Amino acid sequence: MVERKGIIETGWNLDNSYARLPKLFFTNLSPTPVPSPRLIILNDALATSLGLNVQSLQSNDGVAVFAGNDIPEAALPLAQAYAGHQFGYFTMLGDGRALLLGEQITPQGQRFDIQLKGPGKTPYSRGGDGRAALGPMLREYIISEAMHGLGIPTTRSLAVVTTGESVIRETEQTGAILTRVAASHIRVGTFQYASKWGTVQELQALADYTLQRHFPEAAAGDNPYLLLLKEVIKGQALLIAKWQLVGFIHGVMNTDNMTISGETIDYGPCAFMDTYDPATVFSSIDAHGRYAYGNQPHIAAWNLARFAEALLPLLHHDESQAVKIAEDAISDFDELYHSNWLEGMRAKLGMFNQEQQDESLIEDLLGMMKKYGADYTNTFRALTFDKLEDTALFGTKEFAQWYEIWQDRISRQKESKERSYELMKSSNPAVIPRNHRVEEALEAAVKYGDYSVMERLLAVLACPYAYSSEQIEYSTLPAKSDRPYRTFCGT
Ligand code: AMP
Ligand code: MG
């Protein structure tokens, strides 16, 4: 058999189940070709796990796919339609600068969306150019892969190519395309779109598809749509707890940026908190702190209520009954989230069993961290090493008293101190993508074409719980600055 060279042998094995949904949910569309694609970074390990051949992906034919200049056999590119509440306001959105190529079926039989981010205009682009700039795409690559290393459900980054074109933002920037891999790109906003503009049959088709794809066991249950709601609530209660435990601030938790699969998506203005403060906000457009660190669980519950609203016609034929069912399900979120968070915090402090006072012990530590401006990650890291450097917090009498109570607490459990410290090591990252390190890597890459800084950073972030000597330099804090760190979205 003569195969199209470089395409088939690459290992692309695409299906298009999303394209079998009613037409309302997408627009078929090819990527807009670009003049001179160049591969900047390829995620070899991810490629291999998807059943793709790294060498072939690096060839001109392979790179042409990442650039949108060619499409793999069986790809059926499409832009997905969705809506969403952005900062509380409902809007029609959709893939304005993304195209789904199809779903890669891995050698293990798993299904992953392969999406190009930045392949040109779509019917949902509104005023935008449908393109992306190199800096933000590399930023998404770094942070999403760091999240994966931390063990947090996330979309992944397979490759970034430059296009040979400039994109105009505040300044002229290098154009780029990111290839994103996701369990799916179905969002709370996809359901809101179906609820607002689709028929009940179309909404049901989306719900059935989502059940089959993500929760096949629930699909067979008595009330599958209620189970769908409950599964999504469960997934988000776990995800947001994981964010809080590592100090991740998403920055733009609009309902279109909340997945049904429970993966973190959309790495626009996100950043990791350094000094512990629940009011921390990095995003330049989040003037009122709607998406502040401490507000993320509350916003997740708000978004889930929007999801439940969209599902109402499927929950019960009588609307008031449906509302009651939805409210009951949503009211579980706080408890689910809280128990995940508490379990995670116990692990961060080396606790295996549960004691009544644990939560107040944790809150006391967090309270002192805020009071003395302690770095969130490095405080837990120091406790894990049991090496309390000279910081404003560790020098206080208040902390010394807390430390003694904590030591007593962990010596009361049957597990040894060594096991406690092992648990802490696997629960407290020694490194996170520190803002100044990410900026340094991006500056070297975008300004000077030097990708080595980013590659070293990625290598360290791949194993955040290693506690290796190479990690030490990545845990130092930036020099004090008068200017707060700011992030931007939609760039
Ligand atoms: P985001 O802030 O990335 O969640 O994007 C919000 C909406 O704006 C989505 O519908 C995006 O597809 C759209 N969007 C963002 N950037 C662009 C762009 N450069 N061109 C067209 N649409 C865009
Ligand atoms: Mg988005």
Side-chain angles (χ1 to χ4, degrees), residues 7-37:
I7 300 288
I8 300 287
E9 64 193 30
T10 305
W12 289 115
N13 180 26
L14 296 175
D15 184 33
N16 305 281
S17 65
Y18 196 88
R20 296 193 279 274
L21 277 173
K23 273 296 293 172
L24 172 83
F25 290 106
F26 59 92
T27 302
N28 290 110
L29 183 73
S30 292
T32 308
V34 298
S36 48

mmCIF file of all heavy atoms in Angstrom, residues 7-37:
data_model
loop_
_atom_site.group_PDB
_atom_site.id
_atom_site.type_symbol
_atom_site.label_atom_id
_atom_site.label_comp_id
_atom_site.label_asym_id
_atom_site.label_seq_id
_atom_site.Cartn_x
_atom_site.Cartn_y
_atom_site.Cartn_z
ATOM 1 N N ILE A 7 2.704 11.242 6.629
ATOM 2 C CA ILE A 7 1.433 11.479 7.312
ATOM 3 C C ILE A 7 1.027 10.181 7.998
ATOM 4 O O ILE A 7 1.017 10.090 9.216
ATOM 5 C CB ILE A 7 0.345 11.952 6.328
ATOM 6 C CG1 ILE A 7 0.769 13.254 5.655
ATOM 7 C CG2 ILE A 7 -0.981 12.131 7.057
ATOM 8 C CD1 ILE A 7 0.748 14.490 6.513
ATOM 9 N N ILE A 8 0.772 9.146 7.200
ATOM 10 C CA ILE A 8 0.337 7.882 7.783
ATOM 11 C C ILE A 8 1.400 7.328 8.735
ATOM 12 O O ILE A 8 1.108 6.963 9.860
ATOM 13 C CB ILE A 8 0.039 6.833 6.681
ATOM 14 C CG1 ILE A 8 -1.057 7.334 5.762
ATOM 15 C CG2 ILE A 8 -0.328 5.489 7.311
ATOM 16 C CD1 ILE A 8 -2.444 7.345 6.318
ATOM 17 N N GLU A 9 2.649 7.349 8.276
ATOM 18 C CA GLU A 9 3.676 6.717 9.103
ATOM 19 C C GLU A 9 3.952 7.496 10.392
ATOM 20 O O GLU A 9 4.613 7.033 11.280
ATOM 21 C CB GLU A 9 4.957 6.479 8.304
ATOM 22 C CG GLU A 9 5.617 7.749 7.847
ATOM 23 C CD GLU A 9 6.687 7.488 6.792
ATOM 24 O OE1 GLU A 9 6.561 6.521 6.022
ATOM 25 O OE2 GLU A 9 7.658 8.258 6.760
ATOM 26 N N THR A 10 3.415 8.689 10.469
ATOM 27 C CA THR A 10 3.553 9.461 11.704
ATOM 28 C C THR A 10 2.742 8.814 12.825
ATOM 29 O O THR A 10 3.040 9.006 13.996
ATOM 30 C CB THR A 10 3.064 10.906 11.452
ATOM 31 O OG1 THR A 10 3.792 11.412 10.342
ATOM 32 C CG2 THR A 10 3.309 11.796 12.642
ATOM 33 N N GLY A 11 1.725 8.102 12.466
ATOM 34 C CA GLY A 11 0.935 7.429 13.501
ATOM 35 C C GLY A 11 -0.384 8.116 13.792
ATOM 36 O O GLY A 11 -1.084 7.753 14.738
ATOM 37 N N TRP A 12 -0.742 9.113 12.986
ATOM 38 C CA TRP A 12 -2.055 9.734 13.207
ATOM 39 C C TRP A 12 -3.146 8.683 13.013
ATOM 40 O O TRP A 12 -3.118 7.931 12.043
ATOM 41 C CB TRP A 12 -2.283 10.897 12.234
ATOM 42 C CG TRP A 12 -1.445 12.109 12.530
ATOM 43 C CD1 TRP A 12 -0.472 12.644 11.750
ATOM 44 C CD2 TRP A 12 -1.536 12.938 13.696
ATOM 45 N NE1 TRP A 12 0.068 13.754 12.356
ATOM 46 C CE2 TRP A 12 -0.572 13.962 13.554
ATOM 47 C CE3 TRP A 12 -2.326 12.929 14.859
ATOM 48 C CZ2 TRP A 12 -0.369 14.947 14.514
ATOM 49 C CZ3 TRP A 12 -2.124 13.914 15.807
ATOM 50 C CH2 TRP A 12 -1.161 14.906 15.645
ATOM 51 N N ASN A 13 -4.052 8.652 13.966
ATOM 52 C CA ASN A 13 -5.122 7.655 13.938
ATOM 53 C C ASN A 13 -6.378 8.357 14.452
ATOM 54 O O ASN A 13 -6.773 8.201 15.603
ATOM 55 C CB ASN A 13 -4.697 6.490 14.851
ATOM 56 C CG ASN A 13 -5.737 5.399 14.908
ATOM 57 O OD1 ASN A 13 -6.515 5.230 13.971
ATOM 58 N ND2 ASN A 13 -5.777 4.671 16.018
ATOM 59 N N LEU A 14 -6.925 9.195 13.570
ATOM 60 C CA LEU A 14 -7.963 10.131 14.025
ATOM 61 C C LEU A 14 -9.376 9.622 13.783
ATOM 62 O O LEU A 14 -9.674 9.034 12.740
ATOM 63 C CB LEU A 14 -7.794 11.485 13.319
ATOM 64 C CG LEU A 14 -6.497 12.242 13.618
ATOM 65 C CD1 LEU A 14 -6.398 13.496 12.755
ATOM 66 C CD2 LEU A 14 -6.407 12.623 15.099
ATOM 67 N N ASP A 15 -10.208 9.899 14.771
ATOM 68 C CA ASP A 15 -11.649 9.697 14.631
ATOM 69 C C ASP A 15 -12.293 11.079 14.790
ATOM 70 O O ASP A 15 -11.622 12.054 15.188
ATOM 71 C CB ASP A 15 -12.154 8.718 15.703
ATOM 72 C CG ASP A 15 -13.633 8.400 15.525
ATOM 73 O OD1 ASP A 15 -14.104 8.373 14.368
ATOM 74 O OD2 ASP A 15 -14.333 8.197 16.542
ATOM 75 N N ASN A 16 -13.561 11.192 14.478
ATOM 76 C CA ASN A 16 -14.223 12.505 14.532
ATOM 77 C C ASN A 16 -15.595 12.384 15.179
ATOM 78 O O ASN A 16 -16.606 12.775 14.594
ATOM 79 C CB ASN A 16 -14.366 13.075 13.120
ATOM 80 C CG ASN A 16 -13.028 13.133 12.409
ATOM 81 O OD1 ASN A 16 -12.244 14.036 12.666
ATOM 82 N ND2 ASN A 16 -12.752 12.157 11.565
ATOM 83 N N SER A 17 -15.639 11.863 16.394
ATOM 84 C CA SER A 17 -16.948 11.637 17.011
ATOM 85 C C SER A 17 -17.690 12.956 17.241
ATOM 86 O O SER A 17 -18.909 13.008 17.125
ATOM 87 C CB SER A 17 -16.801 10.846 18.317
ATOM 88 O OG SER A 17 -16.090 11.589 19.278
ATOM 89 N N TYR A 18 -16.935 14.025 17.557
ATOM 90 C CA TYR A 18 -17.589 15.320 17.813
ATOM 91 C C TYR A 18 -18.325 15.805 16.558
ATOM 92 O O TYR A 18 -19.397 16.404 16.649
ATOM 93 C CB TYR A 18 -16.565 16.365 18.261
ATOM 94 C CG TYR A 18 -17.193 17.579 18.891
ATOM 95 C CD1 TYR A 18 -17.470 17.623 20.252
ATOM 96 C CD2 TYR A 18 -17.533 18.699 18.122
ATOM 97 C CE1 TYR A 18 -18.063 18.730 20.832
ATOM 98 C CE2 TYR A 18 -18.125 19.813 18.690
ATOM 99 C CZ TYR A 18 -18.388 19.820 20.054
ATOM 100 O OH TYR A 18 -18.984 20.918 20.629
ATOM 101 N N ALA A 19 -17.736 15.506 15.401
ATOM 102 C CA ALA A 19 -18.331 15.947 14.129
ATOM 103 C C ALA A 19 -19.629 15.199 13.821
ATOM 104 O O ALA A 19 -20.360 15.573 12.904
ATOM 105 C CB ALA A 19 -17.331 15.764 12.998
ATOM 106 N N ARG A 20 -19.924 14.159 14.600
ATOM 107 C CA ARG A 20 -21.188 13.430 14.390
ATOM 108 C C ARG A 20 -22.328 14.001 15.255
ATOM 109 O O ARG A 20 -23.449 13.522 15.209
ATOM 110 C CB ARG A 20 -20.976 11.934 14.654
ATOM 111 C CG ARG A 20 -19.991 11.319 13.636
ATOM 112 C CD ARG A 20 -19.976 9.803 13.651
ATOM 113 N NE ARG A 20 -19.167 9.234 14.718
ATOM 114 C CZ ARG A 20 -17.843 9.013 14.644
ATOM 115 N NH1 ARG A 20 -17.170 9.335 13.551
ATOM 116 N NH2 ARG A 20 -17.187 8.472 15.657
ATOM 117 N N LEU A 21 -22.000 15.028 16.044
ATOM 118 C CA LEU A 21 -23.061 15.740 16.790
ATOM 119 C C LEU A 21 -23.885 16.571 15.804
ATOM 120 O O LEU A 21 -23.444 16.811 14.681
ATOM 121 C CB LEU A 21 -22.412 16.683 17.815
ATOM 122 C CG LEU A 21 -21.980 16.074 19.148
ATOM 123 C CD1 LEU A 21 -21.206 17.112 19.955
ATOM 124 C CD2 LEU A 21 -23.197 15.607 19.946
ATOM 125 N N PRO A 22 -25.075 17.068 16.234
ATOM 126 C CA PRO A 22 -25.831 17.962 15.340
ATOM 127 C C PRO A 22 -24.978 19.151 14.879
ATOM 128 O O PRO A 22 -24.126 19.634 15.635
ATOM 129 C CB PRO A 22 -26.994 18.423 16.219
ATOM 130 C CG PRO A 22 -27.164 17.338 17.238
ATOM 131 C CD PRO A 22 -25.794 16.777 17.473
ATOM 132 N N LYS A 23 -25.226 19.626 13.680
ATOM 133 C CA LYS A 23 -24.449 20.711 13.038
ATOM 134 C C LYS A 23 -24.344 21.984 13.880
ATOM 135 O O LYS A 23 -23.395 22.769 13.734
ATOM 136 C CB LYS A 23 -25.099 21.071 11.682
ATOM 137 C CG LYS A 23 -24.647 20.265 10.522
ATOM 138 C CD LYS A 23 -23.166 20.427 10.180
ATOM 139 C CE LYS A 23 -22.757 21.808 9.652
ATOM 140 N NZ LYS A 23 -21.304 21.949 9.534
ATOM 141 N N LEU A 24 -25.350 22.179 14.725
ATOM 142 C CA LEU A 24 -25.374 23.361 15.586
ATOM 143 C C LEU A 24 -24.068 23.557 16.365
ATOM 144 O O LEU A 24 -23.687 24.682 16.694
ATOM 145 C CB LEU A 24 -26.531 23.154 16.582
ATOM 146 C CG LEU A 24 -26.720 24.107 17.731
ATOM 147 C CD1 LEU A 24 -27.499 25.329 17.237
ATOM 148 C CD2 LEU A 24 -27.512 23.440 18.878
ATOM 149 N N PHE A 25 -23.389 22.436 16.660
ATOM 150 C CA PHE A 25 -22.277 22.492 17.605
ATOM 151 C C PHE A 25 -20.926 22.853 17.001
ATOM 152 O O PHE A 25 -19.936 22.950 17.714
ATOM 153 C CB PHE A 25 -22.159 21.152 18.365
ATOM 154 C CG PHE A 25 -23.298 20.947 19.317
ATOM 155 C CD1 PHE A 25 -24.315 20.054 19.041
ATOM 156 C CD2 PHE A 25 -23.360 21.693 20.478
ATOM 157 C CE1 PHE A 25 -25.379 19.898 19.918
ATOM 158 C CE2 PHE A 25 -24.418 21.547 21.366
ATOM 159 C CZ PHE A 25 -25.436 20.643 21.078
ATOM 160 N N PHE A 26 -20.850 23.010 15.680
ATOM 161 C CA PHE A 26 -19.537 23.291 15.082
ATOM 162 C C PHE A 26 -19.684 23.810 13.659
ATOM 163 O O PHE A 26 -20.762 23.760 13.070
ATOM 164 C CB PHE A 26 -18.667 22.030 15.075
ATOM 165 C CG PHE A 26 -19.292 20.885 14.310
ATOM 166 C CD1 PHE A 26 -19.016 20.707 12.958
ATOM 167 C CD2 PHE A 26 -20.176 20.006 14.945
ATOM 168 C CE1 PHE A 26 -19.610 19.672 12.258
ATOM 169 C CE2 PHE A 26 -20.769 18.967 14.228
ATOM 170 C CZ PHE A 26 -20.494 18.803 12.881
ATOM 171 N N THR A 27 -18.563 24.291 13.144
ATOM 172 C CA THR A 27 -18.470 24.685 11.737
ATOM 173 C C THR A 27 -17.249 23.996 11.143
ATOM 174 O O THR A 27 -16.147 24.146 11.681
ATOM 175 C CB THR A 27 -18.278 26.216 11.630
ATOM 176 O OG1 THR A 27 -19.378 26.849 12.274
ATOM 177 C CG2 THR A 27 -18.205 26.676 10.188
ATOM 178 N N ASN A 28 -17.444 23.244 10.069
ATOM 179 C CA ASN A 28 -16.289 22.625 9.395
ATOM 180 C C ASN A 28 -15.470 23.715 8.717
ATOM 181 O O ASN A 28 -16.033 24.595 8.067
ATOM 182 C CB ASN A 28 -16.765 21.626 8.332
ATOM 183 C CG ASN A 28 -17.383 20.414 8.969
ATOM 184 O OD1 ASN A 28 -18.587 20.194 8.895
ATOM 185 N ND2 ASN A 28 -16.572 19.625 9.628
ATOM 186 N N LEU A 29 -14.182 23.612 8.863
ATOM 187 C CA LEU A 29 -13.323 24.686 8.364
ATOM 188 C C LEU A 29 -11.875 24.217 8.345
ATOM 189 O O LEU A 29 -11.417 23.589 9.302
ATOM 190 C CB LEU A 29 -13.443 25.858 9.348
ATOM 191 C CG LEU A 29 -12.716 27.139 9.036
ATOM 192 C CD1 LEU A 29 -13.420 27.858 7.896
ATOM 193 C CD2 LEU A 29 -12.727 28.038 10.282
ATOM 194 N N SER A 30 -11.141 24.560 7.276
ATOM 195 C CA SER A 30 -9.718 24.189 7.236
ATOM 196 C C SER A 30 -8.867 25.293 7.853
ATOM 197 O O SER A 30 -9.244 26.463 7.793
ATOM 198 C CB SER A 30 -9.276 23.986 5.786
ATOM 199 O OG SER A 30 -9.905 22.839 5.281
ATOM 200 N N PRO A 31 -7.697 24.922 8.372
ATOM 201 C CA PRO A 31 -6.773 25.952 8.861
ATOM 202 C C PRO A 31 -6.324 26.848 7.708
ATOM 203 O O PRO A 31 -6.305 26.408 6.559
ATOM 204 C CB PRO A 31 -5.583 25.148 9.396
ATOM 205 C CG PRO A 31 -6.028 23.723 9.485
ATOM 206 C CD PRO A 31 -7.167 23.558 8.535
ATOM 207 N N THR A 32 -5.977 28.081 8.019
ATOM 208 C CA THR A 32 -5.452 28.994 6.996
ATOM 209 C C THR A 32 -3.945 28.769 6.892
ATOM 210 O O THR A 32 -3.248 28.889 7.900
ATOM 211 C CB THR A 32 -5.722 30.462 7.414
ATOM 212 O OG1 THR A 32 -7.114 30.572 7.733
ATOM 213 C CG2 THR A 32 -5.355 31.441 6.326
ATOM 214 N N PRO A 33 -3.438 28.434 5.697
ATOM 215 C CA PRO A 33 -2.004 28.132 5.583
ATOM 216 C C PRO A 33 -1.113 29.304 6.015
ATOM 217 O O PRO A 33 -1.531 30.462 5.952
ATOM 218 C CB PRO A 33 -1.819 27.843 4.087
ATOM 219 C CG PRO A 33 -3.177 27.500 3.592
ATOM 220 C CD PRO A 33 -4.148 28.277 4.425
ATOM 221 N N VAL A 34 0.100 28.968 6.422
ATOM 222 C CA VAL A 34 1.071 29.989 6.861
ATOM 223 C C VAL A 34 2.324 29.866 5.988
ATOM 224 O O VAL A 34 2.607 28.800 5.445
ATOM 225 C CB VAL A 34 1.415 29.824 8.359
ATOM 226 C CG1 VAL A 34 0.181 30.017 9.206
ATOM 227 C CG2 VAL A 34 2.076 28.472 8.648
ATOM 228 N N PRO A 35 3.102 30.963 5.849
ATOM 229 C CA PRO A 35 4.201 30.962 4.881
ATOM 230 C C PRO A 35 5.388 30.044 5.218
ATOM 231 O O PRO A 35 5.853 29.316 4.353
ATOM 232 C CB PRO A 35 4.656 32.424 4.828
ATOM 233 C CG PRO A 35 4.033 33.091 5.999
ATOM 234 C CD PRO A 35 2.838 32.300 6.405
ATOM 235 N N SER A 36 5.894 30.097 6.457
ATOM 236 C CA SER A 36 7.101 29.279 6.691
ATOM 237 C C SER A 36 7.145 28.724 8.102
ATOM 238 O O SER A 36 7.713 29.324 9.006
ATOM 239 C CB SER A 36 8.366 30.080 6.381
ATOM 240 O OG SER A 36 8.302 31.324 6.993
ATOM 241 N N PRO A 37 6.519 27.562 8.281
ATOM 242 C CA PRO A 37 6.452 26.957 9.602
ATOM 243 C C PRO A 37 7.810 26.475 10.091
ATOM 244 O O PRO A 37 8.621 25.988 9.289
ATOM 245 C CB PRO A 37 5.530 25.757 9.413
ATOM 246 C CG PRO A 37 5.149 25.699 7.998
ATOM 247 C CD PRO A 37 5.828 26.769 7.251
#
